[in-house]
Every structure is written in C-alpha cells, then in structure tokens.
Amino acid sequence: MIPEESEKEGRPVVVQAGMYAVEMLSKRYAMHAINVVIVDDLAWIWWYDRQGATQSSGVDFIKDLPCFLVLIATSRHLGLRERDIDATLRRDGHQHYLKRAMREYPRNDRTVHGIHPRRKPHAFDVVFRDREDQTNVKTAAVTRPDKILLSRYSLSGRETKDFEAMQKKVTQADAGMKRYWPEVTLTSEAVVLERAVELGRGDPLIEGHLPTVLASYDLDYSTGTIYEGIQKEGRTVGNAIDGSRCMRLLLMRKLLPIDGLHANEFLRVWVLCYRRHFALWMKGFEHTDISIDNLLYDPVTRKGVLNVFDLARVRLDSKNQVTGRERTGTIPFMAMDLLSSEYFHGETVRLYRHDFESFLWMLPYRLLRGFATEQDKGLREWNTGNYESCRSAKSDFLMTQMETWQVLDANNARVWDGIGFWLTRWLKRKLDEMSDLRILKKRTPGKLSRNDLDKISRWEDQSDQSAIQVLKEAESVIATHLAKAGSFIPFQPLSDEEFQRYLPSPSTSASSS
C-alpha cells in the first residue's frame, strides 16, 4: 500500500486497509483476509476475520531484510486454509466451490456426507447425512452463490448472505442456502427452529409460518483458533477468544423478502408476521431481532414467515430477568427505549412492546423510501451502528417529519395514509405520554394520580396480559382506520377467545401458586 495514495483520498492507511479487507471477506466463502500495510520502511501484517482484526509488530525491511525475506518465502507455502479457504474448498480459475470432503464433521447433530465439485460456473453440490434421531433430513442441494437473495456487508459479525439453491429431489424443489458467521457458543439456528416448531404445533398462528430447515453444516474452522494461539504466547490482555465465530451453512426452503412486495401484499404479510411473533412470545419464545430483512414470505403458500432465530431466547418463567446480555437487535428498527446506554449495558429488560415497536418502524422505512431528496437521506440516518444517532433521527421523524414527508407512489400512499401513519401516530402518543409521566414521577411524584401510576406500571409490566393489551390497542387502530380507508386488505382483529388461548387457565394458575 502506498501512503501517498491514502493521503490523497483523505483516508488513513489503516482505514484503507480495512476497506480492502471488507472486499476480500465479501468473497463467497472467505474465512479471513491478510493485508500488509507498508509505511516508509516498516511493514505490518494485518489479519482480519469475522471476530475482529489483529496487527503484528512492524518489520523494518531495510534493516531486517533477512526477516522480511523469510516472511515472503513463508507466504508462498501457505495452504488453502491459511490463505482464506477451508480445506473443503478448492480454487478453480476464478471460481470457488466445495470439493469432496476428506473427513466428516459432526456438528449440531448433523454430519456432512460429502461435498462434490460441479463444473458448471458458480455451482456446487452439498450432501447431508441422516441425523440419528431424524431420518427426513437426508438431502442434497445444488447451490448458486452468484444468485444472491440477501446480503449484509460488514467487516465483522455474522455477515449473513442468502443465495439460491435447489434441493436435489425428483421435483427439484427450490431452496435457499444461508451462509453466516454466528458465535460458536450460540445454539444452532436449526436446533432453535426445531424448538419453535415444536412449541407452535397445533397453533394456527404459528404452524406453517416458520422456516423449514432441510439441513445444516458448520465448517470445521473457528475464528478463535488464531487468537487462542496468540493468547497462549502472552501477547494479549483479557479473553482473546471470547466471541469466536464459525461459518455455518443452512439449507432451507426458499423464501423471499417482503420488502419487494406490492404495498398491499406487504401489509398483509406484515400482519401475519407480527401475529406469528406474538404467538411465539406468549409461549416463551423471544425473537429479539425484529427487522425488515428478517420478515420473509413463502412464494408458494403466500404465508408470512418470521426468520433468523439464532439470537432467539426461550423464557423459562413468566418474567424476564436482566442478565447483562440484552443487546440484540437491528438498530434502525429497535424500540426507542432500547436505543440507550442502559440497554447496551444490559440493564434493561426486553418487553413484548419493544419487539412490537420494531414492527411499527418497518412501515415508514418501507413506505416512505424512494426519493432522491432529504427524505431518503433522513431515513438512511436510521441505518447506523450508533444507537444515539439513530434515536435522534427517529425522534426528529416523530416530531416533525412524520407529518410532512411524502409517499412516492399511489400504492404506498394508500397503505401509509390508511394504516402506517396512524399506527406511527399511536406509537408517538404512547411514547410522549410515558415520557411525561416518567418526568413527573422523577421530579414531582406527589402530582401523579393513581391512574397515572397504573399507566406507568402497565407500560413496564412483563406479564402476558400487558403484551395482549399492547397488541389489542394496535389492532384496534388498524381495524378502525382500515375500515375508513376502504378495507384494501382482509383484516379481522384477534378475538378475546384467541388471546385467551395464550393465557394459563384459572385451574393452572391456582395449582402453580
């Protein structure tokens, strides 16, 4: 790297090297990236992976030329894994594809039977062996990494990428392959989904509305390996292997993002998805990462599907407890109460209303985009890794922009003017009211009425009754304004009987007490 070029572009050398690393890591199956940063007569080796970045000591290639030559000679003898490709990957021209595995990797109760090369561009076969406890997961698939369904571009973290695949059956069923980098300590999403499917068995709001996992596979590689080696040499302080990640492949039935749907269809599927989420929450299954990318639909059944469960939690009792680890969420869609230092320090309990608020933020994000103006710039300000900046931008939206921003086309306008605006306005009233009551409680608690105290208590309540009340109010807003707008989608609020199904019966409550 030439320092003068970085100065001309106005970027520090380290930032420029990081940008190159992002490009290298964006390759379909890259496990890590290695860069050499040269400034004057010093060279540093940088190692990047989904866990972070590590810098070596500088080498003066003029004063210590033999050492530098050994470094260059060593790099010529690096194998595929050391360069950035797992042992089960092979380079063929400019394409990468999986080859036949030389050994078997038992992970998540599944074992890869073989991974076979295909000479067609970009494609490869993956064959999964039967699980001991289930015989219906034996499958093979042809994957197409060049056909991207969803991609998240990042230097560290999960870096999820979904691409097309085809299950090798008589019917050649369409499927999707999800490749991502979860923390190795997290339970596999395939196992979590099995639990969710079991919880939802017989529930019309859940059954058939969850992703179908056909097979899963973890590469026999962990980002923590190199950091563990460095730590053993005493080169780091603290736990260097905390947050270690592995590459995981999930073969799933093909689903499509709801973001590309017609506005009316988007709203219909959105309703199905928030009801799926509610039903799972009431059964103690918390998703904790609601975002527009995690809502999909089945193109065959047209059902809404709640996706991405690797960060989900199962509640063991009727109340959550602060564990110091409640930091999950996609910032642009997170609830306003969670865009705070208290939440990111693990001091805030996640409630049902927090996840439901994430559903509400999808409406302006989806329906008000499309302008090459300050309006789109304002929405892009939500999409940041800084929770304080996002909170400020969303506060501006609620205070002024919500009333003045325009909608690009008639279809989006119908949904926004008919439902989206009124739901967002309902959210604003709730947030403003609670903010005022909290200020009164802190400064002049004696002025609060009994009714005010009850409102604060219900707002912070962790009970299932509180979750039901939140959804009832929101669905009442939808039903009222949808009727005024001409009922452009079929909608019937959940009945008291349907809500009651998720509450324990009086006999159960009495016996448990």
Side-chain angles (χ1 to χ4, degrees), residues 360-494:
L360 300 184
W361 284 113
M362 294 181 200
L363 297 176
Y365 188 85
R366 162 63 175 80
L367 299 171
L368 300 181
R369 288 181 302 175
F371 291 90
T373 62
E374 290 296 316
Q375 182 168 318
D376 261 20
K377 181 180 178 181
L379 285 171
R380 285 196 298 270
E381 289 177 356
W382 300 9
N383 196 14
T384 173
N386 187 315
Y387 64 84
E388 292 178 339
S389 298
C390 182
R391 181 183 177 88
S392 176
K394 288 163 75 170
S395 295
D396 290 343
F397 173 77
L398 291 176
M399 291 295 294
T400 58
Q401 297 162 349
M402 180 178 69
E403 303 282 350
T404 59
W405 277 3
Q406 299 176 338
V407 189
L408 184 62
D409 61 61
N411 294 322
N412 286 352
R414 188 180 190 188
V415 175
W416 173 250
D417 295 338
I419 300 297
F421 173 82
W422 298 105
L423 275 175
T424 310
R425 190 166 179 262
W426 169 78
L427 172 64
K428 180 181 183 299
R429 286 203 308 267
K430 300 289 287 187
L431 294 176
D432 289 346
E433 181 183 28
M434 287 304 113
S435 177
D436 292 342
L437 290 177
R438 285 168 176 167
I439 292 173
L440 285 175
K441 184 179 180 181
K442 182 178 180 180
R443 295 185 177 275
T444 55
K447 293 185 178 181
L448 288 174
S449 65
R450 185 64 187 175
N451 185 48
D452 292 336
L453 292 173
D454 288 343
K455 287 182 179 179
I456 296 175
S457 178
R458 286 195 300 270
W459 189 247
E460 304 296 342
D461 188 13
Q462 303 176 37
S463 69
D464 290 341
Q465 288 83 354
S466 177
I468 288 175
Q469 185 60 35
V470 168
L471 190 59
K472 272 188 174 182
E473 288 186 31
E475 291 218 323
S476 175
V477 173
I478 296 174
T480 299
H481 291 281
L482 191 59
K484 293 179 180 179
S487 299
F488 47 85
I489 67 165
F491 180 82
Q492 186 67 32
L494 293 175

Side-chain angles (χ1 to χ4, degrees), residues 486-502:
S487 299
F488 47 85
I489 67 165
F491 180 82
Q492 186 67 32
L494 293 175
S495 65
D496 289 339
E497 291 75 15
E498 289 174 301
F499 282 122
Q500 190 65 36
R501 185 169 60 229
Y502 298 102

Side-chain angles (χ1 to χ4, degrees), residues 147-190:
K147 302 291 186 180
I148 303 296
L149 298 175
L150 177 66
S151 180
R152 295 182 179 90
Y153 195 66
S154 64
L155 179 58
S156 62
R158 288 184 293 169
E159 207 266 331
T160 302
K161 184 171 291 185
D162 295 357
F163 44 87
E164 288 186 3
M166 180 172 289
Q167 190 178 5
K168 294 178 67 177
K169 298 167 57 178
V170 176
T171 57
Q172 294 288 298
D174 285 342
M177 184 72 80
K178 176 181 176 180
R179 186 227 65 189
Y180 65 115
W181 288 84
E183 293 186 18
V184 295
T185 56
L186 294 177
T187 304
S188 169
E189 187 173 356

Side-chain angles (χ1 to χ4, degrees), residues 2-16:
I2 302 175
E4 288 77 6
E5 292 182 352
S6 294
E7 292 174 4
K8 289 178 182 179
E9 296 179 12
R11 300 190 186 100
V13 170
V14 174
V15 174
Q16 187 70 40

Side-chain angles (χ1 to χ4, degrees), residues 167-234:
Q167 190 178 5
K168 294 178 67 177
K169 298 167 57 178
V170 176
T171 57
Q172 294 288 298
D174 285 342
M177 184 72 80
K178 176 181 176 180
R179 186 227 65 189
Y180 65 115
W181 288 84
E183 293 186 18
V184 295
T185 56
L186 294 177
T187 304
S188 169
E189 187 173 356
V191 177
V192 174
L193 277 169
E194 285 183 3
R195 171 65 172 158
V197 169
E198 184 63 30
L199 282 173
R201 203 174 302 280
D203 189 324
L205 290 184
I206 301 176
E207 198 165 31
H209 296 273
L210 292 172
T212 300
V213 177
L214 305 173
S216 69
Y217 165 48
D218 288 3
L219 262 68
D220 186 27
Y221 172 86
S222 167
T223 60
T225 303
I226 186 172
Y227 299 103
E228 186 176 8
I230 295 173
Q231 189 180 52
K232 287 179 180 178
E233 296 183 6

